Amino acid sequence: MPTISGDKPSPLQTPRVQSSRRPVAAPTVPRLLPLLLTPLVMVVHGYHPFAGDAGLYTAGVRHILNPELYPHNAVFVTAFTHRSVFPWILAALVRLTHLPLAWILLAAHLFLIWLFLTAAARLASRLIPLRSASICASFLAAACCTLPVAGTALVLMDPYVTARSLSTPLSLLAVTASLGRKAPLTIVLVALTTFAHPLMGVYTAAFVLLQALVVSHRIRSALVLCAAAFTLAGVAFALAQGTPIDPAYRQAVSLAPRSFLFLARWRWYELLGVLLPLLLHAIALRRAGTHTPIGTLCLTSILLGTTTLLIAACFVPPGGPYFLVPFQVLRSFHLIYCIGVILCGGLLSTVARHSRRWSNVLVPILLVFLFSAMFMVERVEWPGVRRLELPGLNPNNPYVQAFLWIRTRTPPDAIFAFNPRLVYLPDEDEQGFRALSERDQLADDKDAGVAAVIPALAPRWAIQRNAEISIDQMSDAERLATLKRLGASWLLLPPSASTALPCPFRNPAIQVCRLTP
């Protein structure tokens, strides 16, 4: 392949996949670097073990350890424990070590950050046989851990522990093994990814399969496979046209926090977030060629990303049918983003290698800027809690204080009702009520995400959620008549809510009241 100019090779050029009988050995990954970067990742990006999706997974772990928890709405808690081995692994660690779950979550988070950085470094060293490539990729991956993946509501690595925390490094290791043509290891890693997170495992398997076809120069077969996937999605969409849509399911997927499910509801900059990576991969492919490891990854990313983007645009409309909604096809971009960050790290190392100014001055400045920017972004995204919510620290969030009071001062079979939008209030910071309080609740807007993936839960979700939507404005008589029949025995109300019910706990953000006649 021709060089860019003169005799100086292009930074994107790497040894061809089949250019020699003896492949160039990749340098040893600096093993200590991911370990040293792990605490830096926690400090920069924060640690919030019971927030967001972690609230669902952690509640699932608690239910495994104590099946008597959440007697009324366990179906929302066990939705993910039935589909992933990850909560069972955490529960097993608690039982084996006899340590509190909070400490197991912290240890798991640190280990999985290290595994992610190690996987990124190994993939970079496979793509570019330079020691500096794995170093730059590790630093860049560490700086971009909470980089949003377009409008998918995902980041590369969450600041808490979920099944994706395990599936992400496993998927990168699977891609690395596939590049090394280690078929048995690749199959094992894809299987482990699927056991950890079935949906991300499917997209990892699709990526690895397309990559295998591209590496073996069967690009036409890869195109046929993508066309077949698009056609199959179209057939499913056509067959679902006459299927009646459950109003409860339509409501669950139409809530504002679920806008990421539909490409048509993405903002312009979120749309740019899926188009720009494909364009950058195309530019890198043209510079590197299809016969290099970088080129094969870029072409594979383009094929998978374009296919899922077309499927989402054509067959997942906001008005229905919703047959493909549970597959969340645009989340395939999560792996594409991870690979893109690693490629940028490798490119940064090769550019620095050819320029002493880049190596000694500009690269460190760029990395310091990225870490500083993400450090400040964490405060904007999580304004109501500590940066590091470590075990044993007293919480400064008034909602968390109330949830912990509930854990020790209310009956284990208590069932709480509250404004279903509470979890998305700015100062609540998506702190998981079930995970923190170890008490059950009527369904809220966070549970709509579970209903979107498991449509059979939508009617149950809608009945409970709609009954408590006006709880803050109801009279006590209305609360008793509406919520008592759904099983609620306690309430969470804002301090401004009018009530004569006994409220043994109150702070500036919330009051805990007993729902008694």
Side-chain angles (χ1 to χ4, degrees):
M1 180 174 176
T3 58
I4 295 177
S5 62
D7 297 327
K8 197 171 184 178
S10 165
L12 290 175
Q13 283 188 291
T14 58
R16 294 175 181 268
V17 174
Q18 294 178 323
S19 61
S20 175
R21 293 182 180 179
R22 289 187 176 182
V24 177
T28 303
V29 176
R31 296 182 179 180
L32 284 180
L33 183 58
L35 187 63
L36 295 175
L37 287 175
T38 296
L40 177 63
V41 168
M42 274 196 61
V43 171
V44 170
H45 301 285
Y47 175 60
H48 311 287
F50 302 103
D53 289 348
L56 297 173
Y57 280 98
T58 306
V61 176
R62 292 198 189 279
H63 186 264
I64 294 171
L65 294 170
N66 182 7
E68 294 182 359
L69 290 177
Y70 321 120
H72 186 66
N73 267 341
V75 288
F76 292 103
V77 172
T78 60
F80 295 126
T81 61
H82 290 163
R83 294 171 175 238
S84 170
V85 301
F86 186 66
W88 297 88
I89 294 174
L90 293 177
L93 290 173
V94 172
R95 286 169 174 157
L96 288 173
T97 61
H98 301 287
L99 291 174
L101 177 59
W103 288 102
I104 295 297
L105 291 174
L106 176 60
H109 186 62
L110 291 170
F111 171 75
L112 292 171
I113 290 174
W114 169 83
L115 187 62
F116 170 69
L117 298 177
T118 299
R122 289 188 177 180
L123 179 55
S125 64
R126 172 65 65 178
L127 295 173
I128 301 174
L130 297 172
R131 184 179 179 85
S132 59
S134 61
I135 294 175
C136 284
S138 296
F139 271 100
L140 197 60
C144 295
C145 271
T146 52
L147 176 70
V149 180
T152 62
L154 299 180
V155 296
L156 298 193
M157 285 290 285
D158 294 303
Y160 44 72
V161 177
T162 68
R164 279 192 308 274
S165 304
L166 177 58
S167 68
T168 300
L170 288 177
S171 63
L172 292 177
L173 292 173
V175 171
T176 305
S178 179
L179 279 176
R181 300 192 175 224
K182 300 175 181 178
L185 179 59
T186 302
I187 293 172
V188 170
L189 288 169
V190 170
L192 291 176
T193 304
T194 306
F195 289 143
H197 196 300
L199 186 63
M200 304 312 291
V202 168
Y203 295 131
T204 300
F207 190 98
V208 168
L209 178 57
L210 288 174
Q211 177 184 298
L213 293 174
V214 171
V215 168
S216 59
H217 309 297
R218 298 163 63 186
I219 297 178
R220 182 174 298 178
S221 298
L223 290 172
V224 170
L225 185 62
C226 292
F230 181 81
T231 303
L232 183 62
V235 170
F237 178 77
L239 293 176
Q241 284 291 337
T243 305
I245 300 175
D246 186 346
Y249 188 72
R250 184 190 293 275
Q251 181 187 5
V253 300
S254 299
L255 293 180
R258 309 266 82 75
S259 61
F260 66 86
L261 294 171
F262 304 103
L263 188 65
R265 292 181 176 171
W266 285 20
R267 298 176 178 88
W268 67 267
Y269 54 85
E270 294 172 330
L271 294 173
L272 188 63
V274 292
L275 296 176
L276 185 59
L278 296 180
L279 176 62
L280 294 177
H281 278 294
I283 294 173
L285 172 62
R286 184 177 180 182
R287 301 284 292 275
T290 58
H291 298 283
T292 64
I294 289 178
T296 59
L297 277 190
C298 289
L299 181 54
T300 303
S301 297
I302 292 170
L303 290 173
L304 180 61
T306 302
T307 302
T308 54
L309 182 60
L310 290 174
I311 290 174
C314 297
F315 306 128
V316 192
Y322 301 126
F323 179 78
L324 295 176
V325 167
F327 297 97
Q328 303 175 73
V329 293
L330 288 174
R331 293 199 165 186
S332 62
F333 274 84
H334 183 265
L335 181 56
I336 295 172
Y337 262 64
C338 289
I339 291 172
V341 168
I342 294 168
L343 285 174
C344 288
L347 175 61
L348 192 63
S349 71
T350 55
V351 171
R353 185 168 176 260
H354 289 83
S355 172
R356 181 171 298 178
R357 179 182 298 176
W358 269 93
S359 178
N360 296 336
V361 180
L362 297 183
V363 170
I365 290 177
L366 175 62
L367 291 174
V368 169
F369 171 77
L370 286 175
F371 277 110
S372 301
M374 298 306 283
F375 184 88
M376 291 184 288
V377 166
E378 192 277 343
R379 276 300 82 198
V380 176
E381 292 293 321
W382 305 90
V385 293
R386 299 179 188 273
R387 178 177 295 273
L388 298 177
E389 297 182 73
L390 300 175
L393 293 181
N394 292 325
N396 59 353
N397 184 287
Y399 293 96
V400 176
Q401 293 169 359
F403 299 165
L404 294 180
W405 182 91
I406 289 169
R407 182 196 296 184
T408 58
R409 303 295 180 87
T410 62
D413 60 350
I415 299 171
F416 281 77
F418 47 84
N419 182 353
R421 301 190 183 105
L422 175 70
V423 68
Y424 292 116
L425 293 180
D427 293 334
E428 208 274 352
D429 280 351
E430 289 192 54
Q431 296 294 313
F433 174 82
R434 293 190 186 99
L436 284 163
S437 69
E438 299 184 26
R439 296 296 182 266
D440 211 345
Q441 66 175 81
L442 299 186
D444 64 358
D445 283 4
K446 186 67 179 178
D447 292 327
V450 180
V453 177
I454 306 175
L457 295 178
R460 182 185 184 90
W461 168 84
I463 290 173
Q464 297 180 17
R465 187 263 183 189
N466 294 336
E468 56 183 346
I469 188 64
S470 302
I471 185 175
D472 296 345
Q473 292 78 39
M474 291 179 180
S475 65
D476 288 339
E478 291 173 327
R479 292 174 183 130
L480 283 165
T482 304
L483 303 174
K484 199 73 174 177
R485 61 183 177 83
L486 295 176
S489 55
W490 287 74
L491 304 178
L492 295 181
L493 298 172
S496 59
S498 175
T499 181
L501 297 172
C503 301
F505 179 90
R506 187 191 305 263
N507 66 24
I510 201 166
Q511 53 182 335
V512 181
C513 304
R514 187 181 295 110
L515 186 61
T516 58

